Amino acid sequence: MSVDVHQHLWTPSLVDALRRRTRPPYLDGWTLILDGEPPYEADPADHDVEIRRKRNAHLDLALVSLSSPLGIEHLQPEEAWPLIDAYHADARALPAPFGAWAAAPVTDPDPVRLSHALDQGLAGLQLPATALGDARGLALAAPLLDVLEERGLPLFVHPGPAAAAGGPAWWAAVVPYVQQMHAAWYAFEAFGRARHPRLKVCFALLAGLAPLHRERQLSRGATGRGLVDPDLFLETSSYGPRAADAVIRELGIDVLVAGSDQPYAESAWPDPGDPAQRAVDHAVRVANPGRLLSRKESHQ
């Protein structure tokens, strides 16, 4: 089963809910207004379910999620929940090949509401890296992570809001997003894994290439030389063979999963028709996502 674990799709209920708002984040027609960023002109075709379904006809499963850079998860509960409920309502009804990650406000980590969403067949939970980059953030999210661990379902860590700094259009994706993911990777290792020993976690965009700093980490007193956590996965969005190869050299192939970040990017993974890449492609698109998404019941 060929899987893409990282896509975004603004469903009709979410679009309507964003258009009803009068302060960021909100939509004015198809213009997205965020705090600290210039208006973004979205293409309606990118969020047309039928167009996207045809675009993904080669996949058996494409997991969509709430766009965490919008900052919805960081809103106060009375603002966040209507948007998240609208997203969940449509996400559960998406046609094949789509599935969806659940969402939750980090300002109201409600395990009961998360359990209800997961009962509807959602694949796991996405949270923004901006909420998981230190011990305090992980402690606040712990009730949600406990639910996932008990059910054997994964956490997907995705970049959160990134205020524009007056740079070029690519700045947010290359600088703050990468920094956020780097912090979340090391925070989970330092503070999260001991609290959640059986939790499966998938980090977007190769965790900001955080694993490549392992030599420096070890030189500064970290332990665990040569150890790989088999339940920490990295997805490949916006990276190609060179970055992926470096991560494979550090962690092995078994923890990489394919993600495209549609509609904001397309998969840069090598052509699956290349015979030299066939085994690697099967691992990243089929075997490893299967292990990430399979239910692994906790024995706590």
Side-chain angles (χ1 to χ4, degrees), residues 145-151 193-199 297-300:
L145 306 190
D146 287 342
V147 172
L148 296 174
E149 194 169 17
E150 290 165 3
R151 291 170 173 250
R193 177 49 88 203
R195 174 67 176 77
H196 306 283
R198 298 177 181 84
L199 181 64
E297 297 300 330
S298 170
H299 298 290
Q300 291 180 323

Coordinates of all heavy atoms in Angstrom, one line a residue, residues 145-151 193-199 297-300:
L145 N -0.8 12.8 24.4 CA 0.1 11.7 24.0 C -0.2 10.4 24.7 O 0.1 9.3 24.2 CB 1.6 12.2 24.3 CG 2.0 13.6 23.7 CD1 3.5 13.8 23.9 CD2 1.6 13.7 22.3
D146 N -0.7 10.5 25.9 CA -1.1 9.3 26.7 C -2.2 8.5 25.9 O -2.2 7.3 25.8 CB -1.6 9.6 28.1 CG -0.5 10.0 29.0 OD1 0.7 9.7 28.7 OD2 -0.8 10.6 30.1
V147 N -3.1 9.3 25.3 CA -4.2 8.6 24.6 C -3.6 7.9 23.4 O -4.0 6.7 23.1 CB -5.2 9.7 24.1 CG1 -6.3 9.1 23.1 CG2 -6.0 10.3 25.3
L148 N -2.7 8.6 22.6 CA -2.1 7.9 21.5 C -1.3 6.7 21.9 O -1.4 5.6 21.2 CB -1.2 8.9 20.8 CG -1.8 10.1 20.2 CD1 -0.7 11.1 19.7 CD2 -2.8 9.8 19.1
E149 N -0.6 6.8 23.0 CA 0.2 5.6 23.4 C -0.6 4.5 23.8 O -0.3 3.3 23.5 CB 1.1 6.1 24.5 CG 2.2 5.1 24.9 CD 3.2 5.7 25.8 OE1 2.9 6.7 26.5 OE2 4.4 5.1 25.9
E150 N -1.7 4.7 24.5 CA -2.6 3.7 24.9 C -3.2 2.9 23.7 O -3.5 1.7 23.7 CB -3.7 4.2 25.8 CG -3.2 4.7 27.2 CD -4.2 5.5 27.9 OE1 -5.3 5.7 27.4 OE2 -3.9 6.0 29.0
R151 N -3.5 3.7 22.6 CA -4.1 3.1 21.4 C -3.1 2.6 20.4 O -3.5 2.0 19.4 CB -5.0 4.2 20.8 CG -6.3 4.5 21.6 CD -7.0 5.7 21.0 NE -8.2 6.0 21.7 CZ -9.4 5.8 21.2 NH1 -9.5 5.4 19.9 NH2 -10.5 6.1 21.8
R193 N 10.6 11.0 25.6 CA 10.7 9.6 25.4 C 10.5 8.8 26.8 O 9.8 7.8 26.9 CB 11.9 9.2 24.7 CG 12.1 7.7 24.6 CD 10.9 7.0 24.0 NE 10.8 6.9 22.5 CZ 9.7 6.8 21.9 NH1 8.5 6.8 22.5 NH2 9.7 6.8 20.6
A194 N 11.1 9.3 27.8 CA 11.0 8.7 29.1 C 9.6 8.6 29.6 O 9.1 7.7 30.2 CB 11.9 9.3 30.2
R195 N 8.8 9.7 29.3 CA 7.4 9.8 29.8 C 6.5 8.9 28.9 O 5.5 8.5 29.3 CB 7.0 11.3 29.7 CG 5.5 11.5 30.0 CD 5.1 11.2 31.4 NE 3.8 11.5 31.7 CZ 2.7 10.8 31.4 NH1 2.9 9.7 30.6 NH2 1.5 11.2 31.7
H196 N 6.9 8.8 27.6 CA 6.1 8.0 26.7 C 6.9 7.0 26.0 O 7.3 7.1 24.8 CB 5.5 9.0 25.6 CG 4.7 10.1 26.3 ND1 3.4 10.0 26.8 CD2 5.1 11.4 26.5 CE1 3.0 11.1 27.3 NE2 4.0 12.0 27.1
P197 N 7.3 5.9 26.6 CA 8.3 5.0 26.1 C 7.8 4.2 24.9 O 8.6 3.7 24.1 CB 8.5 4.0 27.3 CG 7.3 4.1 28.1 CD 6.9 5.5 28.0
R198 N 6.5 4.1 24.6 CA 6.0 3.3 23.5 C 5.3 4.2 22.4 O 4.7 3.6 21.5 CB 5.0 2.2 24.0 CG 5.7 1.2 24.9 CD 4.7 0.2 25.5 NE 5.3 -0.7 26.4 CZ 5.6 -0.5 27.7 NH1 5.2 0.6 28.2 NH2 6.2 -1.4 28.4
L199 N 5.4 5.5 22.6 CA 4.7 6.3 21.6 C 5.5 6.4 20.3 O 6.7 6.6 20.3 CB 4.6 7.8 22.2 CG 4.0 8.8 21.3 CD1 2.5 8.4 21.1 CD2 4.1 10.2 21.9
E297 N -0.7 -1.9 20.5 CA -1.3 -1.7 21.8 C -0.3 -1.5 22.9 O 0.7 -2.3 22.9 CB -2.3 -2.8 22.2 CG -3.5 -2.9 21.2 CD -4.3 -1.7 21.2 OE1 -4.4 -1.0 22.2 OE2 -4.9 -1.4 20.1
S298 N -0.5 -0.6 23.8 CA 0.4 -0.4 24.9 C 0.2 -1.5 26.0 O -0.9 -2.0 26.1 CB 0.1 1.0 25.6 OG 0.8 1.1 26.8
H299 N 1.3 -1.8 26.7 CA 1.2 -2.8 27.7 C 1.5 -2.1 29.1 O 2.0 -2.8 30.0 CB 2.3 -3.9 27.4 CG 2.0 -4.6 26.2 ND1 0.9 -5.5 26.0 CD2 2.6 -4.6 25.0 CE1 0.9 -6.0 24.8 NE2 1.9 -5.5 24.2
Q300 N 1.3 -0.8 29.2 CA 1.5 -0.2 30.4 C 0.5 -0.6 31.5 O -0.6 -0.9 31.2 CB 1.4 1.4 30.3 CG 2.6 1.9 29.4 CD 2.5 3.4 29.2 OE1 1.4 3.9 29.1 NE2 3.6 4.1 29.2

